[in-house]
Amino acid sequence: MEAIERSLCIWLWGSIECDFMFKPSEGRSGGILTIWDNNVLSVKRRIIRDHVLCVEGEWGTEKKPVNIVNVYAPCVASRKHVLWNELKTLVWTKSEDRWCIAGDFNTVRNESERRGSNTNLRNNKIENFDKFITEAKLIDLPLHGRRFTWSRPGGSSRSRIDRFLISEAWIRDWSASYHNFVKEQWRELKVEGWGMFVLKEKLKQIKERLKEWHKNHSQNLGEKIKATKSELNRLEVKEESMGLADEEINSKRETSASLYNLSKLECSIQWQKSRSKWVKEGDANTKYFHGCVKKRRRENEILALEVNGNMLKGAGE
């Protein structure tokens, strides 16, 4: 991919209301292409680095600031390590912002994400990648359907090397409708009496409503997503081969929206689960909590400064 024409991007996107940026291929390494909808994302800044495309902009009518990073990681372990540090530093510069880092990371987080290849001498690669995700405070969205995203011809080796990593700020803004449901139900509940009695009764009643909500929205969520994906795939295959009737086009649009909403709900649930370790070990386990604080303090400690070519160490030097 040495050059990209706008006409190709319009064909890929399916609309002229799009813009794009790309990084040409280098040798055997493929290039990177990012396309977005101009009506949804207003790009303010574009960053091109080795193995990375980053767009900073405002999302939707609410103009929420977002950072979207497209990654194509190198194969060499030392270059991967450099990339993880660069991405981590990039996130840390705006740690409270909404981040989505996606693409081909060319590595796995644990041995269960790879099959059929030599597993020797890979522990450092796995640990470095997992450390990057943890220290950047990113959430690794789970896969649905098949477990692997890459395979050799014939399927002798398979790996999960493609993934989406998002920040807590991102998922807080675009999580499931759970919080809105709680607010609406709380306003609707009418209980008469003194303050503590009203609070107790409201909590009791909303607990029952939440059970029903969870049953309708979250139970068998994986199966619902699987069935929705299967229906969407059926419609897409038919569209490619013989086209769709108007009713089927509308059905495809509704199915796509349903899959999006189900996936958002699953992301919200996974995010809540990702916080469980901090709840169980961070607040309850004083040793663990203070260990985290001391680690962050050591990382932020300034031991020396270079001023006009001179190295200054300590307050009195």
Side-chain angles (χ1 to χ4, degrees):
M1 190 169 64
E2 297 180 356
I4 295 292
E5 300 292 338
R6 176 171 174 79
S7 57
L8 174 61
C9 294
I10 293 174
W11 179 76
L12 290 171
W13 194 253
S15 169
I16 62 172
E17 299 294 332
C18 70
D19 202 353
F20 69 98
M21 64 184 297
F22 78 98
K23 188 178 187 302
S25 58
E26 299 177 2
R28 297 180 61 183
S29 174
I32 316 176
L33 172 64
T34 301
I35 309 176
W36 59 89
D37 189 333
N38 284 327
N39 295 320
V40 177
L41 178 63
S42 175
V43 173
K44 305 299 182 183
R45 184 185 179 200
R46 310 181 188 199
I47 301 173
I48 300 178
R49 297 183 181 177
D50 290 342
H51 315 292
V52 168
L53 293 180
C54 177
V55 292
E56 297 179 8
E58 296 176 341
W59 188 280
T61 56
E62 296 178 344
K63 297 188 180 301
K64 294 183 177 181
V66 295
N67 304 270
I68 300 175
V69 184
N70 191 354
V71 176
Y72 185 15
C75 296
V76 180
S78 59
R79 296 177 66 186
K80 280 196 188 85
H81 187 62
V82 171
L83 177 59
W84 305 153
N85 287 332
E86 289 178 349
L87 288 173
K88 182 170 60 178
T89 301
L90 188 65
V91 173
W92 280 356
T93 58
K94 298 181 179 180
S95 59
E96 299 302 319
D97 280 13
R98 304 166 188 87
W99 287 92
C100 176
I101 304 178
D104 181 351
F105 292 87
N106 220 338
T107 191
V108 298
R109 292 193 72 180
N110 55 68
E111 291 295 343
S112 66
E113 294 182 344
R114 182 168 288 180
R115 289 286 186 274
S117 59
N118 183 11
T119 60
N120 294 330
L121 304 178
R122 284 211 310 270
N123 287 338
N124 288 340
K125 297 180 184 179
I126 292 174
E127 290 174 2
N128 287 336
F129 183 52
D130 189 68
K131 182 180 178 183
F132 148 66
I133 295 175
T134 301
E135 293 186 348
K137 297 183 179 180
L138 297 171
I139 299 165
D140 184 7
L141 297 185
L143 284 178
H144 292 288
R146 299 189 180 276
R147 296 178 57 189
F148 308 107
T149 62
W150 172 89
S151 67
R152 290 188 184 277
S156 59
S157 299
R158 302 179 299 278
S159 300
R160 183 197 174 184
I161 57 178
D162 303 278
R163 60 206 330 130
F164 280 81
L165 307 174
I166 59 175
S167 64
E168 293 182 8
W170 184 289
I171 204 167
R172 279 199 302 267
D173 284 333
W174 292 297
S175 58
S177 56
Y178 173 82
H179 296 292
N180 291 333
F181 173 81
V182 172
K183 291 178 181 179
E184 292 172 1
Q185 295 301 311
W186 190 267
R187 285 195 296 264
E188 289 181 7
L189 291 172
K190 304 298 182 184
V191 180
E192 299 293 336
W194 62 291
M196 289 303 297
F197 174 79
V198 171
L199 177 62
K200 178 181 74 69
E201 287 300 311
K202 276 195 170 186
L203 289 173
K204 181 180 177 180
Q205 292 182 37
I206 205 168
K207 179 181 178 181
E208 296 303 318
R209 298 193 182 190
L210 282 172
K211 285 183 179 179
E212 187 65 24
W213 184 91
H214 185 272
K215 180 180 178 181
N216 294 332
H217 291 80
S218 303
Q219 193 170 4
N220 298 323
L221 186 57
E223 292 300 319
K224 291 179 182 178
I225 292 175
K226 183 178 179 180
T228 305
K229 280 187 173 182
S230 178
E231 174 62 14
L232 183 60
N233 181 67
R234 183 188 71 81
L235 291 169
E236 289 177 343
V237 170
K238 184 176 180 181
E239 184 179 36
E240 292 176 358
S241 60
M242 62 183 67
L244 298 176
D246 291 343
E247 183 177 346
E248 291 175 316
I249 292 174
N250 292 332
S251 177
K252 180 188 173 186
R253 187 179 298 111
E254 292 172 359
T255 304
S256 297
S258 177
L259 179 59
Y260 174 73
N261 290 329
L262 289 171
S263 297
K264 283 205 304 179
L265 177 59
E266 175 69 4
C267 290
S268 178
I269 292 172
Q270 291 298 326
W271 176 73
Q272 293 294 336
K273 289 181 178 179
S274 75
R275 311 308 298 161
S276 63
K277 181 176 181 181
W278 181 261
V279 172
K280 292 179 180 178
E281 300 185 27
D283 293 337
N285 188 332
T286 304
K287 182 177 179 181
Y288 178 83
F289 174 79
H290 286 290
C292 292
V293 173
K294 290 178 181 178
K295 179 177 180 294
R296 178 58 62 86
R297 185 179 297 156
R298 286 195 302 270
E299 291 173 346
N300 294 335
E301 185 178 6
I302 299 175
L303 301 176
L305 292 173
E306 184 178 350
V307 179
N308 297 327
N310 298 318
M311 190 65 67
L312 303 179
K313 298 181 180 180
E317 298 182 21

